[in-house]
Amino acid sequence: MTTQRAPASLRRRRNIGIISHIDAGKTTVTERILYYTGLTHKLGEVHDGQAVMDWMQQERERGITISAAATTCDWQRHQITIIDTPGHVDFTIEVERSLRVLDGAVAIFAAVEGVQPQSESVWHQANRYRVPRLAFINKMDRLGADHERVLQDIRDTLGASPLLLQLPLGTEEHFQGIIDLIDMQCVSWRADDAGMTPETGAIPPEFEEAAQAQRAALLETVAEHDDDLLERYLAGEPLDAEAIRSAVRKSTLSGALVPVLLGSGLHNKGIQPLLDAIVWYLPSPVDVPSITGVEPTEETAAERHNDPSEPLAALAFKVALDQGRRLTYLRLYAGCLEAGTQIYNPRTGANERVARLLRMHANKRQRLDRAQAGDIVAATGLKDATTGDTLCDPAHPIRFEAIAYPEPVINLAVEPMTNAEQDKLQSALEKLAAEDPTLQVQFDEERGHTILSGMGELHLEVLIRRLADEFKLAVNVGKPQVVYRETIQGEAECSETFDREIAGKRQVAEVTLAVAPAASGAGLEFAGTPPEDAEAPADMIDAVRQGVLDAASSGVMQGYPVVDVRVEPRRLLCRDDSTPLAFQVAAGQAFHRALEAAQPVLLEPVMSLEILVPEAFVGSVISGLQSRRGVVEGIESQGLQHVLRARVPLAETFGYMTDLRSASQGRGTFSMQFAHYAPAP
């Protein structure tokens, strides 16, 4: 382990994430950042399986990022903590929990493909957390690269306002560098020093007119969001680079504009200006609004500022297993934390001791004695803390909002090779589930095997491989099963009376419930209790609600969870011998009877597919989609390729990659993400 560095001031810190669609070049760009900042001394390549940030064996074999990896580097006297996130939809929780704790982000778009489905998803995730962003259009040297079309994609698809700060110096295979529209100079890179030394010079005459016009458009756009700059601009005063950058920074932090830069990560062009832009335009911890929560005992609003002098407040945003040890990743929002400190977890109501503090560089560790507000670190010794837990000063407790997880859409049955390994399998799955909140584990007593629920085929395939690689457990695996839902198409009202003696005590209740369809995505909606039952005790009303929630976990058709149903208690008959237990049971029975009478229907998950394929194979690909109950929603041209957008039921997507390769002579690729639930045939 290396020795601890002196902490940088809060204003000189940047906590950023790298986000994009799979294969847009996130990890390649991150590897260049590490190289040019001096953190590594060799360029790690994804295609060679040598990327520092893709340290897991499966990441190196597959050439994709699976787990978000953190590292910290220095640039222009600023400390930059970077989290490289996955681009595959199956690992979206890694993006979700990273964006929750980051101050800024760099969104990477491929210059040919533009805004792709997962690009859109992660962009909206960043919108939800109000994370200021830069955009980096990567792969500018590829055939068909078109930054103008990507800019239009950003406007039309993402609803954002891109601000182009650079022009390309050459196009496609002739791309040599960029023209800086603020400093009005060109920057190019030589191939013989791996892009280590940018060369600046005057703008070539053939690019001068386009650069002047684009700079005028830049100034006009920025001036609309900065009154001081607008006055100087309208007065015809010369605007120095520092004033322009200050105005761009202000617009970026407010979310009004998204600065856009150009480059080619694989061929080492455009990375140093990107690092400069991270320092110039993305927020420091002090630029981020204070974080709000509640005081756990009083349930009153509480607030913490990004200030080391305030009481400790941190959020555990990731749990990982590293060399058999449990690491808990923390973002400190206030106060300071030292190794050996006792901290309080409001969820468990208990104190835990931090054994060690570590700054992570992918899977390598740097020991720290102390961390403070604005830091992202890992801690050992925390046995009960999980993703989304608040950790704070025991004398000044606070609880932040937890992190939301997407619901699993696919099941897989597994069992150990021998009965003797059942306990070992259960222990391993518990550890994996603690690390990955989107993994759900249940034991099926009737069939005697364990059910894994996850986000997709790749997600579960990776987990099975991890059982073998990390826990030395070979398992028998069943076929993937779709996670369906149940709902209703009609309305119904049913009454149920529960009258029974249990443990020598009479339990009586009578409940009348009405059910009706609710809007798609509404879940389970409860209407208020009727006026004539206003005297019903609160605990009885709560028992009715709990009874319905319990019953909704298993529907009346095939036992799948019930969604998108509105439930209204019409009558609650409360007597002297009524009990909450009786109301809970009666409500569950009445709910099930009402569902049976309200035209129940099975819902299946439908996926949104984006397929990239050469024009010659479009017809055969469409035919294949139609045979899988797919509906093509649109086709557009992207250079020599065609993009098909379609909706296909998840049950019909198993094995689709093999069919697509067969139909396109191995030249087609696709990406997929959950769209919505729809009635199953």
Side-chain angles (χ1 to χ4, degrees):
M1 290 189 183
T2 55
T3 57
Q4 181 180 359
R5 289 181 293 191
S9 71
L10 282 179
R11 292 194 178 277
R12 291 187 176 274
R13 298 208 185 169
R14 301 291 183 269
N15 295 318
I16 67 161
I18 310 290
I19 60 175
S20 81
H21 187 89
I22 190 170
D23 284 339
K26 294 180 305 300
T27 302
T28 299
V29 168
T30 306
E31 293 294 321
R32 269 63 186 168
I33 289 175
L34 302 186
Y35 182 65
Y36 298 138
T37 57
L39 201 59
T40 60
H41 303 289
K42 177 185 175 184
L43 284 173
E45 302 292 4
V46 174
H47 56 268
D48 292 337
Q50 298 298 316
V52 173
M53 300 300 281
D54 283 351
W55 59 271
M56 291 175 61
Q57 182 64 27
Q58 290 193 64
E59 292 178 316
R60 295 189 168 186
E61 290 176 1
R62 297 172 186 271
I64 63 170
T65 301
I66 292 172
S67 176
T71 190
T72 300
C73 57
D74 295 316
W75 183 256
Q76 307 289 27
R77 297 171 57 219
H78 284 69
Q79 187 183 89
I80 305 173
T81 296
I82 302 170
I83 297 184
D84 176 28
T85 65
H88 197 286
V89 65
D90 282 16
F91 310 106
T92 187
I93 184 59
E94 295 287 335
V95 184
E96 184 77 25
R97 57 188 178 185
S98 298
L99 287 173
R100 170 64 187 274
V101 299
L102 292 170
D103 301 327
V106 176
I108 298 182
F109 303 97
V112 177
E113 290 82 5
V115 177
Q116 297 170 277
Q118 189 63 6
S119 307
E120 189 175 355
S121 296
V122 298
W123 190 272
H124 293 317
Q125 285 175 297
N127 282 344
R128 189 160 60 250
Y129 293 118
R130 297 183 176 87
V131 177
R133 271 145 284 172
L134 304 176
F136 182 73
I137 300 179
N138 192 26
K139 306 184 182 182
M140 284 295 298
D141 48 3
R142 280 184 56 196
L143 185 65
D146 185 350
H147 70 282
E148 288 289 352
R149 183 175 54 77
V150 180
L151 291 173
Q152 196 59 47
D153 271 359
I154 293 172
R155 294 186 192 99
D156 297 342
T157 307
L158 304 181
S161 300
L163 180 71
L164 188 64
L165 302 184
Q166 301 169 346
L167 285 180
L169 192 65
T171 58
E172 297 179 338
E173 70 270 21
H174 301 296
F175 177 73
Q176 297 298 315
I178 56 96
I179 296 171
D180 186 327
L181 297 174
I182 294 181
D183 287 323
M184 287 302 282
Q185 63 182 13
C186 72
V187 185
S188 59
W189 288 266
R190 303 194 317 270
D192 58 3
D193 70 344
M196 180 63 78
T197 311
E199 296 181 343
T200 59
I203 299 173
E206 63 269 29
F207 292 99
E208 184 70 37
E209 184 179 347
Q212 290 291 352
Q214 191 63 54
R215 187 176 199 266
L218 183 155
L219 293 177
E220 187 173 324
T221 302
V222 175
E224 291 176 1
H225 300 276
D226 188 290
D227 292 341
D228 294 337
L229 197 72
L230 180 61
E231 285 185 21
R232 295 177 61 186
Y233 178 72
L234 293 176
E237 294 182 25
L239 299 174
D240 60 277
E242 195 59 38
I244 299 171
R245 290 194 184 104
S246 176
V248 172
R249 176 179 176 80
K250 188 184 300 182
S251 299
T252 305
L253 297 187
S254 69
L257 297 174
V258 178
V260 179
L261 299 97
L262 313 174
S264 170
L266 184 61
H267 294 107
N268 314 314
K269 296 179 175 69
I271 305 302
Q272 292 92 341
L274 175 61
L275 279 164
D276 288 338
I278 289 170
V279 167
W280 288 334
Y281 307 128
L282 290 183
S284 71
V286 296
D287 297 314
V288 177
S290 58
I291 186 168
T292 58
V294 296
E295 200 284 328
T297 55
E298 302 293 334
E299 292 295 326
T300 54
E303 187 178 37
R304 293 290 185 273
H305 302 91
N306 284 286
D307 187 342
S309 65
E310 290 203 3
L312 172 69
L315 185 74
F317 68 95
K318 178 180 170 74
V319 175
L321 298 175
D322 182 28
Q323 301 173 2
R325 289 190 175 183
R326 181 186 173 105
L327 294 179
T328 305
Y329 285 75
L330 307 176
R331 164 64 195 261
L332 273 67
Y333 285 102
C336 296
L337 179 62
E338 296 182 356
T341 304
Q342 292 278 343
I343 55 178
Y344 177 68
N345 185 336
R347 180 183 62 82
T348 62
N351 289 343
E352 289 197 74
R353 180 178 171 273
V354 176
R356 290 180 179 175
L357 287 175
L358 306 166
R359 176 162 286 132
M360 301 301 295
H361 174 50
N363 63 331
K364 294 182 174 61
R365 311 171 177 187
Q366 174 192 358
R367 182 89 64 86
L368 299 174
D369 297 324
R370 183 175 182 270
Q372 66 176 30
D375 278 337
I376 293 177
V377 296
T380 64
L382 303 177
K383 297 179 180 178
D384 297 323
T386 189
T387 300
D389 279 358
T390 304
L391 301 169
C392 55
D393 184 341
H396 301 87
I398 189 172
R399 185 179 69 246
F400 299 137
E401 182 182 354
I403 298 174
Y405 315 134
E407 285 292 319
V409 296
I410 188 171
N411 285 346
L412 194 67
V414 298
E415 61 182 17
M417 292 294 187
T418 65
N419 289 334
E421 291 185 321
Q422 180 62 50
D423 289 344
K424 186 179 178 183
L425 173 62
Q426 199 63 31
S427 174
L429 289 175
E430 286 175 2
K431 291 177 180 177
L432 291 175
E435 182 177 317
D436 181 357
T438 58
L439 170 64
Q440 295 181 7
V441 181
Q442 291 181 317
F443 186 73
D444 188 330
E445 297 281 356
E446 184 177 336
R447 295 178 176 85
H449 53 225
T450 302
I451 304 294
L452 306 184
S453 301
M455 302 305 298
E457 279 188 281
L458 180 60
H459 183 207
L460 296 180
E461 186 182 324
V462 166
L463 290 167
I464 297 301
R465 179 68 181 277
R466 289 187 66 189
L467 286 174
D469 291 348
E470 298 175 28
F471 299 95
K472 311 305 177 189
L473 266 171
V475 293
N476 293 317
V477 181
K479 291 183 178 180
Q481 301 291 325
V482 175
V483 178
Y484 292 92
R485 295 287 187 269
E486 296 184 21
T487 190
I488 56 175
Q489 293 179 316
E491 300 182 6
E493 180 178 311
C494 286
S495 298
E496 188 68 34
T497 301
F498 184 83
D499 188 346
R500 191 174 301 173
E501 187 173 306
I502 302 176
K505 183 177 180 181
R506 192 69 174 272
Q507 310 271 354
V508 178
E510 184 177 328
V511 175
T512 300
L513 296 178
V515 297
S520 177
L524 209 60
E525 290 185 351
F526 283 89
T529 54
E532 59 266 27
D533 295 315
E535 298 301 321
D539 58 344
M540 304 299 182
I541 297 171
D542 291 341
V544 169
R545 181 184 293 266
Q546 189 59 49
V548 172
L549 287 173
D550 292 343
S553 65
S554 178
V556 296
M557 295 186 69
Q558 295 185 26
Y560 291 106
V562 178
V563 297
D564 303 339
V565 173
R566 186 174 186 272
V567 184
E568 182 180 351
R570 291 283 174 85
R571 184 166 180 264
L572 308 179
L573 183 59
C574 192
R575 302 184 345 194
D576 291 342
D577 48 5
S578 295
T579 64
L581 175 61
F583 271 102
Q584 186 171 334
V585 175
Q589 293 174 346
F591 180 68
H592 269 165
R593 286 187 56 201
L595 291 179
E596 290 171 345
Q599 303 171 45
V601 63
L602 200 65
L603 298 176
E604 64 177 349
V606 176
M607 311 303 287
S608 174
L609 269 66
E610 184 174 275
I611 304 159
L612 196 64
V613 66
E615 182 180 6
F617 306 108
V618 169
S620 58
V621 170
I622 291 176
S623 178
L625 288 171
Q626 290 172 342
S627 70
R628 291 173 176 265
R629 295 193 285 133
V631 177
V632 177
E633 297 184 320
I635 305 174
E636 65 180 62
S637 174
Q638 282 190 1
L640 301 177
Q641 300 274 56
H642 275 58
V643 178
L644 281 71
R645 292 184 173 83
R647 296 289 172 95
V648 183
L650 176 62
E652 302 289 347
T653 64
F654 298 144
Y656 181 61
M657 178 55 81
T658 301
D659 286 358
L660 177 62
R661 286 172 177 163
S662 176
S664 63
Q665 297 180 6
R667 295 165 66 186
T669 61
F670 81 100
S671 60
M672 177 175 72
Q673 63 181 351
F674 173 75
H676 57 83
Y677 277 94

